[in-house]
Amino acid sequence: MPLRVYNTLSGTKEEFVPIAPGAVKMYVCGVTVYDYCHIGHARANVVFDVIYRYLRHAGFDVTYVRNYTDIDDKIIRRANEQGLAWDEVAGRFIEEFDKDMASLGLELPTHQPKATEHIAEIIDLVRVLVEKGHAYQAGGDVYFCVEKFDPYLRLSKRSLEEMQAGARIEVDERKRHPMDFALWKEAKPGEPWWESPWGKGRPGWHIECSAMSMKYLGETFDIHGGGKDLIFPHHENEIAQSEAATGKQFVRYWLHNGFVNINAEKMSKSLGNFFTIKEVLEKFDSEVLRFFLLTAHYRSPLDFSDQNLSEAMAGLERIYSALAGIEDAVAGRTPPSVVDVAPDELSEAQRELLDKARTLIDRFREAMDDDFNTALVLGHVFDAVRTVNRVLAEGVKGDAAVAIVTDLRDKLREIGGVLGVFGSEPAEFLDRLKKRKAATLEITEEEILRLIEERTAARKAKDFKCSDEIRDYLLAKDIQLLDSAAGTTWKVK
RNA sequence: GGCGACGUAGCCAAGUGGUAAGGCAGAGGUCUGCAAAACCUUUAUUCAGCGGUUCAAAUCCGCUCGUCGCCUCCA
C-alpha cells in the first residue's frame, strides 16, 4: 500500500510520490529563538521527527532541514527588555531549544541552518524579486507585491478581498497594497543590520525560510511542514516569494500539525495558557510526554492536561511492564528462529500471539501509510501487549514460546524505533517512573524496604493480621505492595 | 463580519459507504492467606440533533445547536 499524506494545498489525502524516486527532501519550520519552547513546539517537532523516521523506515533517503530563525523583531524586543545583545538572546534560546529537543529524543535533522548565516542568500533572493518586478523598495524597506502573484492565498484558500474585509492590521502607507509584506527591513538606530543594496537592514520574517530551504533542497522539494498556525501568513508568503523568484512550484506536499489545547483552547503565548517543555518534564518523564503526543493523530487538536498525561503514563507503563515481563521470561535463553515454530505445538494464547506478531509490522505500516496514523499504531501495540501478557501469564516454557515472545519484543522495538519510544531498558524505565513518583512520597525508600522485610517475616509466621496492617499502612501512603514467588516489590499508586 | 475545522462510551481516542479498534476509569470472575499485577468477561443497538440520498450512513448531502481555529506574532 502506498504512502498517502494529507496535503494542505489540495485539502485531500494524496499518494506521496517524491520528485526523485527513493529520496525525500523535507523542510520544517523551526522556531524563532526568543523564549523557551512550550508543549506546542514539542508537538510539532515530535510529529515531524516521527515522519522523518518513518520515511527512512519506509526506505527513503531523507534530507531533513529544520531552521533556526535567529533574527527577528521579537528577538530584538526581548533583548531590549532584558538589556542583552540580540545575538545573546538568540544564542541562548538556540541552546535551550537543542536541549529540549534532545530530551524529547528527537533525531538531528540533516541540516539546521540559521537565518543569520544565510544573509547573502536572502539578499540574492530579494534582489531577484525586485528585478522581476515582484517586489519594490520603499525607503530602506523592500516589500513583496501580493497583487502580482496570482496564486497568492491558494494554500489558506482565501482571497485578497476576504482578507481585507476582516483585516485588523494597520496599513503602512508605503505599501502599495495593504497585504504586501516585508522582505527586507531597514534598521532603526540601535538595531542589528547587514549591508544590502537597499541600505542597512535585516531580513523580514518568511524570506529566510525560502532562502534556506531552496539552498539545501532545491527550488522545488517534496515536503514542507509546520504548525497549522503557519499556513497564513508564513507559508503563504514563502510560496509567494519562492515561486515568484523561480517561476517553479516551490513545494509539492504541505503538512501541518494540529494545536495543543488547554481546556479546548489553543495553547499560545498571547493567551498565556502555555506550559514550557521544561515545566512539564519536571512532572512527567520525557518519554511519557512523547508518547502522549502520539496518542492522537497529528492533525487533530490534542488537549493537554495532567489527567491526560497521567493516562498516557499508565498506558506506557503497561507496555513497558509487558516488555519487562518478556525480558524476565527469556533472560539467558537463546530462542530458535520464530519461523521454525510449529503452530500445532503451541497453546491457544501462543498461537494467537504468533498470528498477531506475524501481521503486526504490516498493520503498523498500513496505519503509518495512512497519513501517519500513530494513534492507530498504538492501538495495534496495545492489542499485541494484551496477547503477549496472556502468554506470559501461562508461563514461557519451551523454546517455541521463547521464540515467539522474543519475536514480538523485537517487533515492538522496531515500531518503537520509528515512534521514538520503548527504547529504554524496560526495568530501567519502570524504575525511573517509580523513582520519580517516589520523590513525592512522605516516606523514604529505606523505610518502605524495612517495612516490607517486617511484613515478610510476619507472613512467614502466618501472622496475617500484622502483615495486612503493614500493607494497609503503606497503601495509605500510596505504596502498593506486589507479592510474587520471587519476593515482594512495591510501586507507587 | 468573512473563511475553515471539529462534535464517537464517565474520560482519552481510531474509524470517510458494509454494520463501532485500542487505552484509562468502573463492575464481575480466575489467581492470591488476603491483596496488587496479569488474564477472562462486561461497560456506545449507537456515533451532537433533525431531515435527505442509498439495499446499506459515524462515514455522503442539507439545516439546526455547540465548541474551536484562522483572518495580527504564534508550532
Side-chain angles (χ1 to χ4, degrees):
Chain A
M1 191 177 153
L3 171 61
R4 289 164 55 80
V5 302
Y6 182 88
N7 187 351
T8 306
L9 197 56
S10 64
T12 57
K13 276 187 209 168
E14 297 174 24
E15 184 175 338
F16 176 75
V17 182
I19 296 162
V24 177
K25 308 242 184 247
M26 167 163 120
Y27 185 92
V28 174
C29 287
V31 283
T32 300
V33 281
Y34 71 103
D35 208 343
Y36 293 104
C37 288
H38 58 62
I39 302 305
H41 298 109
R43 184 180 196 191
N45 283 285
V46 165
V47 159
F48 286 102
D49 181 59
V50 170
I51 290 173
Y52 174 45
R53 289 171 188 242
Y54 183 66
L55 289 170
R56 283 186 308 172
H57 175 89
F60 291 106
D61 178 16
V62 187
T63 309
Y64 175 26
V65 180
R66 184 183 63 208
N67 70 291
Y68 298 100
T69 295
D70 60 344
I71 178 67
D72 173 88
D73 292 357
K74 288 194 291 293
I75 295 170
I76 296 169
R77 195 190 334 125
R78 180 56 53 97
N80 290 339
E81 281 166 14
Q82 303 192 333
L84 297 168
W86 68 273
D87 49 351
E88 280 180 280
V89 171
R92 163 147 180 244
F93 286 110
I94 285 173
E95 233 173 82
E96 294 293 342
F97 175 87
D98 288 348
K99 271 194 236 163
D100 284 343
M101 294 309 128
S103 66
L104 288 171
L106 296 221
E107 296 206 7
L108 289 179
T110 320
H111 304 284
Q112 297 190 83
K114 299 184 175 93
T116 54
E117 289 172 2
H118 297 79
I119 300 294
E121 288 86 346
I122 289 169
I123 289 174
D124 278 349
L125 189 56
V126 176
R127 189 189 290 130
V128 169
L129 288 166
V130 171
E131 279 165 9
K132 290 197 171 179
H134 278 288
Y136 56 93
Q137 187 173 355
D141 295 346
V142 180
Y143 291 100
F144 185 87
C145 190
V146 294
E147 285 174 304
K148 284 200 183 145
F149 182 73
D150 215 40
Y152 194 57
L153 302 178
R154 238 183 63 198
L155 186 69
S156 53
K157 298 170 181 59
R158 297 166 210 267
S159 70
L160 280 175
E161 296 72 50
E162 280 168 20
M163 296 293 283
Q164 280 182 88
R168 285 176 283 170
I169 37 171
E170 277 179 48
V171 177
D172 188 322
E173 287 170 4
R174 292 181 303 175
K175 290 185 189 178
R176 292 181 191 166
H177 186 280
M179 295 296 292
D180 287 352
F181 56 91
L183 299 171
W184 188 261
K185 294 178 147 183
E186 179 175 18
K188 296 189 193 85
E191 287 183 347
W193 54 266
W194 286 263
E195 206 62 72
S196 83
W198 316 282
K200 292 173 177 172
R202 65 176 185 277
W205 185 39
H206 319 305
I207 193 72
E208 83 284 12
C209 282
S210 289
M212 292 189 282
S213 59
M214 290 199 284
K215 171 174 177 179
Y216 292 96
L217 302 174
E219 293 180 339
T220 301
F221 56 95
D222 300 297
I223 294 176
H224 192 130
K228 271 192 160 82
D229 44 4
L230 294 181
I231 294 172
F232 182 87
H234 187 54
H235 290 162
E236 206 68 80
N237 292 353
E238 275 187 59
I239 293 173
Q241 296 157 351
S242 307
E243 298 194 354
T246 66
K248 295 176 187 159
Q249 181 176 21
F250 176 46
V251 169
R252 311 239 304 201
Y253 303 92
W254 286 92
L255 271 47
H256 293 99
N257 66 276
F259 300 133
V260 175
N261 289 165
I262 300 274
N263 296 323
E265 273 189 329
K266 179 187 172 185
M267 179 184 290
S268 76
K269 293 258 156 127
S270 36
L271 286 170
N273 62 347
F274 62 92
F275 293 96
T276 63
I277 294 174
K278 253 185 207 350
E279 284 167 340
V280 174
L281 292 188
E282 278 168 23
K283 283 178 94 167
F284 293 95
D285 188 87
S286 61
E287 196 171 334
V288 169
L289 175 56
R290 186 171 173 120
F291 182 84
F292 166 71
L293 293 172
L294 300 175
T295 56
H297 184 94
Y298 79 92
R299 283 190 285 118
S300 307
L302 180 61
D303 218 57
F304 183 87
S305 67
D306 268 17
Q307 195 198 328
N308 290 349
L309 259 284
S310 295
E311 281 184 12
M313 179 167 71
L316 188 59
E317 203 172 354
R318 177 176 164 82
I319 294 166
Y320 266 114
S321 296
L323 287 171
I326 295 173
E327 294 304 336
D328 283 350
V330 306
R333 298 169 74 171
T334 315
S337 166
V338 72
V339 297
D340 297 333
V341 170
D344 41 329
E345 288 168 21
L346 300 176
S347 72
E348 197 192 318
Q350 289 169 342
R351 254 199 312 277
E352 192 188 336
L353 182 59
L354 188 66
D355 285 344
K356 284 255 163 76
R358 196 168 270 155
T359 58
L360 184 60
I361 295 298
D362 284 342
R363 284 181 289 147
F364 160 69
R365 291 200 180 121
E366 202 178 312
M368 290 300 281
D369 279 343
D370 186 13
D371 198 28
F372 313 107
N373 194 339
T374 55
L376 183 56
V377 170
L378 293 180
H380 295 325
V381 165
F382 278 114
D383 194 37
V385 163
R386 194 186 56 249
T387 313
V388 78
N389 276 337
R390 249 176 91 187
V391 171
L392 292 175
E394 61 181 32
V396 178
K397 299 207 176 71
D399 275 355
V402 175
I404 58 175
V405 163
T406 307
D407 174 59
L408 184 86
R409 179 198 61 193
D410 294 345
K411 283 174 171 154
L412 288 178
R413 286 213 180 130
E414 180 180 344
I415 291 170
V418 175
L419 301 183
V421 290
F422 322 149
S424 312
E425 275 306 310
E428 225 167 77
F429 176 84
L430 294 172
D431 201 50
R432 213 159 82 205
L433 275 195
K434 183 165 149 184
K435 286 230 160 66
R436 190 184 267 273
K437 289 190 205 163
T440 65
L441 296 173
E442 49 191 56
I443 182 168
T444 65
E445 193 167 347
E446 290 70 37
E447 178 77 358
I448 296 168
L449 293 174
R450 193 183 61 74
L451 286 167
I452 288 177
E453 257 177 61
E454 212 173 285
R455 176 169 170 273
T456 305
R459 289 181 72 210
K460 238 178 212 155
K462 303 253 190 262
D463 183 355
F464 295 122
K465 183 170 176 288
C466 173
S467 76
D468 287 355
E469 268 172 20
I470 293 173
R471 192 186 60 211
D472 294 344
Y473 170 79
L474 287 170
L475 196 57
K477 295 196 181 302
D478 274 345
I479 310 294
Q480 177 73 60
L481 297 184
L482 296 87
D483 295 331
S484 78
T488 301
T489 56
W490 61 280
K491 61 179 263 185
V492 184
K493 266 195 99 175

